[in-house]
Amino acid sequence: MKLHPFVRIENSLREILTGAGAKPAAGQVLVERPRRPEMGDIASPAALRLAGQAGCKPLELARQLADQLVGLPEVAAAEPVAPGFVNIELTGAALAEPAALALADRQRFGRPAAAGGSVLLEYVSSNPTGPLHVGHGRAAAYGDSVARILKHAGWQVATEYYLNDRGRQVDILAASLWLRIMELRGHFAGPMPAGCYAGEYLREVAAGVDAVGSERGDGQMIDVTNLPAAADAAALEVVHRVRQRLGDRQLAELAELAVGRICAGMKQELARFRVGFDNWFSEKEMIESGKLTPALDKLAAAGATYRKDGALWFAASRHGDEKDRVLVKSDGAATYFASDVAYHLDKYGRGFDRYVNIFGADHHGYVARLRGFIAALGEEPGKLEVPLVQIVALVRAGQRLKITTRGGVFSTLAELVDAVGVDAARLFFVLNRPDAQMEFDLDLAVRESAANPVYYLQYAHARCCSVLARWGGERSSLQLDASALIQPAERSLLVELAWFESTVRSAAAELAPHLVASWLYELARKLHAVYEGEPIIGAPEPQQRARLALIAAAAGALATGLDLLGVAAPNKMERRT
RNA sequence: GUGCCCGUAGCUCAACGGAUAGAGCAACGGCCUUCUAAGCCGUCGGUUGCAGGUUCAAAUCCUGCCGGGCACGCCA
């Protein structure tokens, strides 16, 4: 496959620099996007960075680079500029190559030649104790876009959802469900005890249980008075009393039922949000298949655990964490962290080159101990990347909303999507860097949905389609004739199309979908500029066919870019009333 | 108190250590007899929280302050 013209120029620069005695690092970026168009199509700061190695002044090295670059077939002009940049202008033919690819095969457009390795991407992984809320939506949109971008950049991607389907929270969920069943049958009039799951969704689950004619829940209501004051303790006491009434088995069945229903709801909501997972990894199944003990044994064999006060500890402080962590409590129960040790051992055993765990920012304290035991086990902690997705603060009627699952007051992803639509929500979540805190004003999102950036991008695509439809010919008959595209706006659009591949590479390396969003915005802007300029249909040949080809290329590029963000590229926009 | 993230235009945010810090929203003024005006053009808006340091070059890296968020359990 022919390399991207920018890459070919970069490779040539590397050769020239090496010949001049400089030693550019393997991955060092040698070309970049100039700030202003009069600085050329691409620019190289290489002379500034490497003049020392070559033993001359930056501007002098830049002159050498420019002299040799003009000899390349891709280069129309190359100019050294103080303090040591080289500004490069490409030939029309070279510049049109990426656009031609967008026209001919938009699936390959922006796909780097170098293949990536394999990556396991874990994200969302919210506890199956309630519907997904808006914060999970941000993680879902971010994670799914990262997955799409990595795939496009040539990585083999597997996505995974880690399901905490056992443990205390699930017990509390089961007991809460039972209370809702009792409520439905008139044996309990609420309110839900503190610490239990009070959300409306459990009423719906309870109604479903009734509908299938379950016997569970028959018998007498438990006493829910005289509970401890603390919410956690109260919930545990409720679990205890329900367990006494029903027995372990029935409680476990209720838990399975509740988790099953809630998971089904989450999957449905994620599907509507265009997010799917290759694998749902069940903590419960992992534990039941006996993976916990060998994992802890392995840590012990590595000399990283010890016993103290009747508990089993991991010496995390020896591996970069601030303190040691309990693996098995003095009552014999394994902690959540112990499960995570087993889970990550399982992950690393699957032999991926790269592991990405997308965490909510409230879990940032967890990263050090995760890397700690990976190091303790002799694995490579650098293979694990943990992008943190910051909390989304919801604002409604000028007030910050508290998002809590147990309290029953929260804003679900479903509500948000109902209000603003999948496209707007998905784009909104990947518009910014994930580690920036963001406010989501629900009123504004609804009221201003027409001004949402998503419409700007989609409208650009629809405009292209509209022109092509009016023309009525076959897109496959079009060819990019760069010699007929001489208007500044046209050239500017070609340049923008050419930058997509390096945008994809950066976005994949930095796990940064917002770079794709920014690129799309620039592309749309330049498309609109072409549209507003010279007429397309009715222009004399060869301009008409060349412009149509450019428009078709832009349409393909917009569709490909939007697809990487999970946003639809409609052929037409319904006119607002 | 300790640790992590953040601080850029009135608001929401961009900017691989590079050249004159950019968009959108908001405000104001223009452009539909013509391929969709969900668009385009223009105006207004900045001591990049503060102070030092490193560098040919700092919003970006380092140190210290100030401000905001989050986390600091034999919870998950």
Side-chain angles (χ1 to χ4, degrees), chain A residues 9 14 50 84 92 94-95 112 181 209 244 249 278 318 349 369 390 424 457 493:
Chain A
I9 290 173
R14 188 163 278 114
L50 299 168
L95 205 52
I181 294 170
V209 173
Q244 281 191 323
R249 183 143 163 209
D278 298 325
R318 292 212 298 265
R369 78 188 76 164
Q390 277 289 351
L457 304 180
L493 182 52

Side-chain angles (χ1 to χ4, degrees), chain A residues 84-378:
Chain A
F85 292 98
V86 183
N87 292 341
I88 304 161
E89 187 189 322
L90 271 70
T91 62
L95 205 52
E97 284 178 32
L101 190 55
L103 174 64
D105 183 359
R106 75 170 184 87
Q107 303 299 332
R108 281 203 300 139
F109 173 62
R111 212 175 268 277
S118 60
V119 54
L120 180 62
L121 181 64
E122 183 212 325
Y123 62 106
V124 184
S125 298
S126 97
N127 288 341
T129 51
L132 297 163
H133 59 61
V134 173
H136 300 131
R138 186 178 190 188
Y142 171 70
D144 181 68
S145 295
V146 166
R148 289 167 188 249
I149 289 165
L150 283 168
K151 280 179 198 162
H152 200 73
W155 289 77
Q156 292 202 310
V157 182
T159 57
E160 189 154 296
Y161 190 117
Y162 179 62
L163 200 58
N164 298 118
D165 51 357
R166 58 172 291 284
R168 200 177 81 175
Q169 290 188 106
V170 171
D171 289 342
I172 295 171
L173 179 73
S176 302
L177 173 59
W178 188 75
L179 290 180
R180 286 303 189 197
I181 294 170
M182 296 310 285
E183 178 187 58
L184 206 64
R185 297 185 179 177
H187 303 310
F188 173 55
M192 290 293 270
C196 290
Y197 292 98
E200 195 64 26
Y201 57 93
L202 271 185
R203 281 206 175 102
E204 289 162 27
V205 176
V209 173
D210 233 21
V212 296
S214 167
E215 294 301 312
R216 281 177 293 263
D218 282 350
Q220 288 181 331
M221 177 57 193
I222 58 161
D223 175 26
V224 290
T225 60
N226 295 319
L227 292 168
D232 277 10
L236 283 181
E237 179 58 26
V238 170
V239 170
H240 178 69
R241 292 178 192 176
V242 174
R243 195 190 296 278
Q244 281 191 323
R245 168 74 68 235
L246 297 178
D248 284 344
R249 183 143 163 209
Q250 291 243 323
L251 191 68
E253 280 177 25
L254 276 177
E256 205 162 308
L257 208 130
V259 167
R261 292 291 167 89
I262 290 171
C263 273
M266 290 194 307
K267 285 182 185 177
Q268 196 180 353
E269 191 53 36
L270 286 167
R272 175 164 77 130
F273 208 46
R274 305 183 190 126
V275 175
F277 291 88
D278 298 325
N279 189 29
W280 288 68
F281 189 99
S282 161
E283 182 195 8
K284 183 161 171 273
E285 282 172 29
M286 179 184 76
I287 301 286
E288 285 170 358
S289 68
K291 284 184 177 163
L292 191 57
T293 310
L296 296 184
D297 288 350
K298 204 166 172 191
L299 259 189
T305 64
Y306 61 91
R307 292 212 154 263
K308 191 182 95 183
D309 304 332
L312 181 69
W313 296 71
F314 165 54
S317 56
R318 292 212 298 265
H319 299 278
D321 199 1
E322 52 190 25
K323 54 179 124 172
D324 294 350
R325 308 291 177 178
V326 170
L327 291 162
V328 181
K329 294 182 272 183
S330 54
D331 67 2
T335 60
Y336 171 89
F337 176 56
S339 286
D340 253 4
V341 170
Y343 174 47
H344 283 83
L345 195 60
D346 180 275
K347 273 186 173 179
Y348 265 66
R350 289 185 247 168
F352 286 88
D353 299 318
R354 196 173 169 188
Y355 297 89
V356 178
N357 286 8
I358 297 170
F359 280 3
D362 53 345
H363 284 73
H364 67 79
Y366 213 72
V367 178
R369 78 188 76 164
L370 219 49
R371 288 225 170 86
F373 79 76
I374 287 166
L377 288 169

Side-chain angles (χ1 to χ4, degrees), chain A residues 15 55 72 106 108 141 157 177 185 225 261 347 395 399 437 458 536-537 547 559:
Chain A
E15 280 175 35
L72 297 175
R106 75 170 184 87
R108 281 203 300 139
V157 182
L177 173 59
R185 297 185 179 177
T225 60
R261 292 291 167 89
K347 273 186 173 179
V395 178
Q399 299 240 309
Q437 294 157 214
Q458 292 185 324
I536 296 158
I537 292 168
R547 283 177 192 156

Side-chain angles (χ1 to χ4, degrees), chain A residues 28-53:
Chain A
Q28 188 168 10
V29 176
L30 299 176
V31 299
E32 61 185 23
R33 188 176 191 129
R35 206 169 269 287
R36 274 174 302 281
E38 63 269 23
M39 294 170 173
D41 301 320
I42 58 176
S44 177
L48 280 165
R49 292 179 192 163
L50 299 168
Q53 293 176 10

